[in-house]
């Protein structure tokens, strides 16, 4: 495929330039917030208490019955997935030379991103910490069954 | 005799290696996150399914991989802050080299604070 180099004086494509600029700013703005969100996530889930040993269904039930952690996780989900996908897009742009392949990969990236955002958001909003018929010893202590 | 240009902000030395590492860690975290959203989604299936899969996070091999994940996050996050400072802080470019070493040192300190505790959880020490 041949690369088209525009005439130096042709007006630049405003839409494209703005998209790249907003992408650049988004990487930095989301990065600052993600430091706090992810460090906080790892601190509560891996460092405090029994760390990784303590994580099970009841642990998640305890956290997600608190709106504070619901909002925390939702923000982290959206910001990290869009940040990561946009970063992967940059990398795909850098290393692919065939335009068709580049387009296909970028579309695949955003499709995966969208699917996981929808899934993760639904999971937080529809989560039931006390599902009926489950063994009581697997549920958080506040469930009527346990 | 033409000589190789010395390293610039972008080529050779700290400027390049900091970027290569930033890129590799970013990709690694991205793939982890894809899997992680899926494993977390199992809470909607059943407590048994979620506990079975999250149980693998507690095995020695995955437990060690988590050390790698945390190291990658620490570096990517702190070096990301460095990149932001280079872009927005007046003196950022001047101090980019020192800042990289600061990133490495803070990452190492946080990692050393975390690793023994995590290993003791994973191996039941
Ligand atoms: C080994 C390290 C990790 C463990 C053990 C872990 C554990 C968990 C657990 C137990 C949950 C359920 C809710 C909660 O506790 O808040 C969760 C959710 C989540 N984690 Fe992690 N996490 C780890 C690393 C990460 C990293 C590095 C990221 C970001 C890149 C991340 C992003 C998320 C997100 C976005 C959710 C919400 C998912 C959803 O909405 O469905 N986690 N994690
Ligand atoms: C913890 C806080 C984070 C900070 C402060 C941060 C910061 C940054 C910054 C500033 C960039 C742009 C670099 C540039 O334009 O040269 C970037 C790129 C990137 N980030 Fe992050 N990030 C964070 C978390 C994440 C997470 C959770 C992921 C994965 C889901 C991720 C994946 C990427 C990728 C793939 C790139 C592209 C790398 C490249 O173009 O070489 N980052 N990050």
């Amino acid at each position: 495929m041949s690369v088209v180099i525009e005439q130096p004086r042709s007006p630049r494509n405003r839409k494209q330039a703005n998209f790249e600029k907003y992408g650049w700013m988004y990487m930095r703005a989301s990065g600052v917030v993600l430091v706090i969100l992810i460090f906080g996530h790892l601190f509560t889930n891996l460092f405090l208490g029994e760390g990784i040993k303590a994580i099970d269904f009841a642990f998640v039930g305890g956290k997600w019955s608190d709106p504070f952690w619901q909002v925390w996780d939702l923000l982290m989900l959206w910001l990290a997935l869009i940040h990561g996908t946009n970063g992967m897009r940059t990398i795909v742009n850098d290393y692919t030379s065939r335009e068709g392949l580049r387009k296909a990969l970028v579309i695949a990236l955003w499709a995966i991103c969208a699917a996981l955002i929808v899934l993760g958001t639904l999971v937080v909003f529809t989560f039931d910490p006390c599902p009926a018929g489950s063994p009581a010893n697997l549920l958080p202590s506040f469930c009527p069954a346990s | 005799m033409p000589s190789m240009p010395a390293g610039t902000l972008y080529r050779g030395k700290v400027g390049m290696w900091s970027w290569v590492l930033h890129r590799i860690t970013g990709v690694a975290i991205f793939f982890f996150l894809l899997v992680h959203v899926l494993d977390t989604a199992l809470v909607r299936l059943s407590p048994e399914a979620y506990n079975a899969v999250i149980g693998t996070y507690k095995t020695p091999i995955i437990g060690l991989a988590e050390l790698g994940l945390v190291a990658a996050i620490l570096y990517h996050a702190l070096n990301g802050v460095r990149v932001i400072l280079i872009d927005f802080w007046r003196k950022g470019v001047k101090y980019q080299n020192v800042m990289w070493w600061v990133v490495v040192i803070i990452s190492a300190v946080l990692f050393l604070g975390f690793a023994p505790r995590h290993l003791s959880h994973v191996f039941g020490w």
Side-chain angles (χ1 to χ4, degrees):
Chain A
M1 193 218 82
S2 65
V3 178
V4 181
I5 300 174
E6 288 173 32
Q7 288 293 323
R9 283 166 190 242
S10 56
R12 76 189 162 107
N13 181 341
R14 282 265 156 201
K15 244 165 104 192
Q16 187 96 10
N18 279 340
F19 179 77
E20 288 303 333
K21 184 178 82 183
Y22 293 133
W24 187 93
M25 293 197 313
Y26 176 83
M27 292 308 276
R28 281 142 185 84
S30 60
V32 172
V33 184
L34 280 171
V35 176
I36 299 162
L37 293 175
I38 296 181
F39 281 24
H41 186 63
L42 293 177
F43 185 71
T44 48
N45 287 12
L46 284 184
F47 195 83
L48 288 184
E50 292 275 290
I52 188 73
K53 274 267 137 69
I55 295 184
D56 55 14
F57 183 85
F59 176 93
V60 182
K63 266 184 100 176
W64 279 351
S65 48
D66 184 345
F68 177 85
W69 289 116
Q70 289 184 322
V71 172
W72 185 289
D73 284 351
L74 281 172
L75 273 176
M76 190 163 61
L77 175 80
W78 284 69
L79 291 177
L81 274 171
I82 296 173
H83 176 107
T85 305
N86 193 239
M88 293 297 289
R89 185 185 63 87
T90 305
I91 295 175
V92 165
N93 287 346
D94 278 357
Y95 297 128
T96 51
S97 45
R98 278 177 35 225
E99 178 59 13
L101 176 65
R102 189 193 70 82
K103 274 225 170 83
L105 287 175
V106 169
I107 291 172
L109 280 172
W110 287 117
I112 292 170
C113 176
L116 288 179
I117 285 182
V118 170
L119 175 68
T121 304
L122 282 176
V123 165
V124 174
F125 280 120
T126 65
F127 176 63
D128 175 3
C130 309
S134 288
N137 63 330
L138 299 184
L139 301 181
S141 53
F142 54 75
C143 291
S146 70
Chain B
M1 256 274 282
S3 58
M4 284 277 287
T8 66
L9 180 53
Y10 301 109
R11 174 163 165 199
K13 303 194 181 161
V14 163
M16 188 179 94
W17 293 112
S18 65
W19 169 81
V20 170
L21 257 187
H22 193 81
R23 182 160 272 196
I24 294 173
T25 51
V27 173
I29 301 163
F30 176 77
F31 283 110
F32 166 77
L33 186 57
L34 300 189
V35 176
H36 185 47
V37 174
L38 294 176
D39 66 56
T40 302
L42 290 175
V43 294
R44 288 292 288 111
L45 203 60
S46 73
E48 290 89 342
Y50 182 77
N51 287 354
V53 171
I54 211 69
T56 61
Y57 277 58
K58 307 172 189 180
T59 60
I61 291 177
I62 308 286
L64 288 175
E66 283 150 12
L67 284 182
L69 175 71
V70 168
I73 298 264
L74 287 172
Y75 176 78
H76 187 94
L78 297 174
N79 188 60
V81 173
R82 168 178 164 271
V83 169
I84 295 168
L85 286 172
I86 293 175
D87 290 335
F88 290 107
W89 180 34
R90 256 182 314 120
K91 304 207 173 129
V93 175
K94 185 171 158 201
Y95 292 121
Q96 63 88 14
N97 203 315
V98 202
M99 285 197 291
W100 191 71
W101 289 105
V102 173
V103 164
V104 170
I105 291 168
I106 301 179
S107 305
V109 168
L110 291 176
F111 182 78
L112 290 177
F114 167 76
R117 194 175 162 88
H118 182 65
L119 288 173
S120 79
H121 293 142
V122 171
F123 291 98
W125 298 333

